[in-house]
Amino acid sequence: MTVDTLTHPPAVDALLGAPPRSSGATPYPSAIRPRRLRRTAALRRMVRETELTPADFIYPIFVQHGRDVRQAIASMPGQYRYSVDRLPALARQVWELGVPAVIFFGIPAQKDPVGLENFADDGIVQQAVRAVKDAVPELVVITDVCLCEYTDHGHCGLLDPAGNILNDETLDILARVAVSHARAGADVVAPSGMMDGMVAAIRAALDGEGFSRVAIMSYAVKYASGYYGPFREAAEGAPRFGDRSSHQMDPANVREALREAALDVAEGADFLMVKPALAYLDVIARVHERFPQLPLAAYNVSGEYAMLKAAAANGWLDERRVVLETLTGIKRAGADIILTYHALEAAAWLNE
Ligand code: PBG
Ligand code: ZN
C-alpha cells in the first residue's frame, strides 16, 4: 500500500486509462527529491543562495542647471533630471532607504569641443557633489567621468580634424575631470569612456594632487550597446555623427572583456564594472571568476530599465516581481554591486 501510493499514484493511472497496477518498478529514484527543500517559505529562505539588499545598489542621478527643476525623462518613467537645490532631499531619501551610493551624470549649460564645464569648479557635477556631501556626508558619492555629455560633438574624447578620437590627449582631460570631482568631494570616480590607459592616467593625477583616498570604479568592460538609448536622451549625450564602436566593445566578445579587466586591475582600479548587465550575464560571471579580488559592479542600464517599465505600464508583467528577479539574476551572475534606476523602488520593496 505504501509503495503503491509513492510510486504509482492511482489517480494518474486512472487519468491515463491504464489498468491499475499493484506493484512494479519505481519510476523515479524517490530517495532524491529536491522539492523537499522548496516545501515551505522558511525552508526556501534557509537554502537561498543569493540575497538582494538595498546595500547592493548605486542610484544614478541626472543633474542639470536651474532652480527647483524635477524634469521627467520620457523614455525612463519614474526618473528625472534634478537641479542642485533638489538634491539634498533626494540624497536623504536614498540614504534612508539603505542605498549607500549615488552616481552623478551632469548636463552642462554649454557644450564645446573640449567640454570645459566638465572640469570647472562650479560645473554642474561639482555643485551636485558639494550639495550632497553637505546634506548627507555618509552617502558614497560617485561621479561619471567622460567627455560625451560635455562635448558639442557628443564623443567620449577629443577629436582630430578627421573626427577620430585622440586617445592620449583625452587622458589629460579625463585626469583633470577626475581631480576636479575629487576636489568637490567625490568618494569615487567612474571613468566610462573606454579610453586605453584611462585608469592609470586618473590614478596618477589623483595621487599627484593629494587624492590618494579617492577610489576608481572603472567601466572596465563596456559594450557598444543599443541599450543606452534612453540615457542618451536623458543626458543629451548622443554622438552628433558616427558611433562609439571605435572604443566601446563589440557585443560578440568575451575574451576581450577579460583582457580589458586585467588591464584595469593592473592600472590600479578599485572596482571593475561590466555594462550593460542583462545581455552580458556570462561576461559578469567570467569577470567575477577571473578577478575575485576586486568588487564587481554591473550597470543595469537605461534600456533595460525602460523595457521593464514599458511592459509593466501595459500590464504585461508584474513589475515588482520582474524587477527583483532581474536584480537577483545580476547578483547571482557574480555582481557585488548593481547600478540601477530601480534602486529606490527595489530598496523600498526589500525593506517591507
Ligand atoms: C557615458 C555613459 C553612458 C552611459 C553611462 N555613461 C552612455 C554611453 O556610453 O553612450 C549609459 C548608461 C545607461 O544607459 O543607463 N558617459
Ligand atoms: Zn562617453
Side-chain angles (χ1 to χ4, degrees):
M1 181 60 196
T2 319
V3 170
D4 276 351
T5 50
L6 272 176
T7 57
H8 301 284
V12 172
D13 280 346
L15 280 171
L16 296 173
R21 290 174 287 178
S22 56
S23 66
T26 302
Y28 181 78
S30 58
I32 300 163
R33 291 184 178 271
R35 289 185 56 210
R36 285 185 194 117
L37 301 187
R38 300 181 203 133
R39 193 169 53 84
T40 71
L43 279 166
R44 291 193 291 273
R45 188 145 45 86
M46 270 178 79
V47 300
R48 186 159 299 143
E49 299 173 36
T50 306
E51 204 79 58
L52 196 65
T53 86
D56 300 329
F57 304 146
I58 298 172
Y59 186 52
I61 299 175
F62 298 97
V63 54
Q64 66 166 70
H65 290 277
R67 289 178 59 84
D68 204 26
V69 178
R70 182 176 179 265
Q71 190 189 317
I73 300 165
S75 54
M76 301 173 71
Q79 304 305 311
Y80 302 87
R81 283 160 52 159
Y82 295 91
S83 54
V84 172
D85 55 324
R86 289 278 203 137
L87 295 179
L90 179 60
R92 279 189 284 273
Q93 191 195 345
V94 172
W95 184 251
E96 276 157 23
L97 283 165
V99 174
V102 297
I103 181 166
F104 282 123
F105 297 95
I107 297 105
Q110 258 140 41
K111 303 192 189 224
D112 56 72
V114 176
L116 294 172
E117 187 179 322
N118 212 352
F119 46 92
D121 276 343
D122 59 350
I124 188 65
V125 163
Q126 289 81 352
Q127 292 183 41
V129 170
R130 285 193 292 267
V132 164
K133 274 295 178 187
D134 275 354
V136 190
E138 310 94 316
L139 188 67
V140 176
V141 170
I142 309 173
T143 58
D144 187 83
V145 174
C146 195
L147 270 58
C148 49
E149 284 120 58
Y150 293 83
T151 49
D152 52 10
H153 45 69
H155 282 286
C156 302
L158 302 175
L159 300 182
D160 73 11
N164 301 307
I165 290 179
L166 295 161
N167 189 94
D168 298 11
E169 291 80 350
T170 299
L171 297 181
D172 294 336
I173 307 289
L174 294 174
R176 292 177 72 160
V177 174
V179 167
S180 176
H181 290 174
R183 196 168 281 134
D187 299 293
V188 181
V189 294
S192 63
M194 291 296 283
M195 292 299 114
D196 292 336
M198 67 185 183
V199 172
I202 288 172
R203 185 71 271 158
L206 288 172
D207 292 353
E209 296 292 325
F211 295 110
S212 58
R213 67 176 177 278
V214 172
I216 299 176
M217 176 181 286
S218 180
Y219 288 69
V221 181
K222 179 174 176 178
Y223 288 91
S225 171
Y227 285 102
Y228 307 150
F231 174 97
R232 290 184 186 171
E233 179 201 316
E236 294 175 3
R240 297 286 169 273
F241 58 88
D243 59 29
R244 305 219 200 288
S245 34
S246 83
H247 48 106
Q248 297 179 347
M249 278 181 52
D250 183 334
N253 292 358
V254 65
R255 294 197 305 265
E256 187 186 357
L258 302 177
R259 186 184 193 211
E260 281 284 0
L263 281 169
D264 285 8
V265 172
E267 290 179 27
D270 299 285
F271 303 81
L272 295 175
M273 191 199 302
V274 172
K275 175 188 174 184
L278 292 184
Y280 303 90
L281 293 175
D282 61 318
V283 181
I284 294 172
R286 296 279 295 274
V287 172
H288 167 75
E289 272 163 29
R290 183 73 71 87
F291 304 99
Q293 67 272 37
L294 264 71
L296 178 60
Y299 203 139
N300 176 217
V301 299
S302 57
E304 298 172 339
Y305 174 84
M307 289 195 300
L308 294 194
K309 282 287 173 183
N314 277 294
W316 297 338
L317 287 175
D318 174 344
E319 181 174 1
R320 174 183 173 142
R321 237 186 122 167
V322 295
V323 166
L324 294 177
E325 182 177 337
T326 297
L327 297 172
T328 299
I330 295 168
K331 191 169 181 191
R332 190 198 60 238
D336 302 291
I337 304 162
I338 306 169
L339 297 92
T340 179
Y341 304 96
H342 299 291
L344 304 190
E345 285 176 316
W349 292 325
L350 293 170
N351 289 333
E352 271 173 18

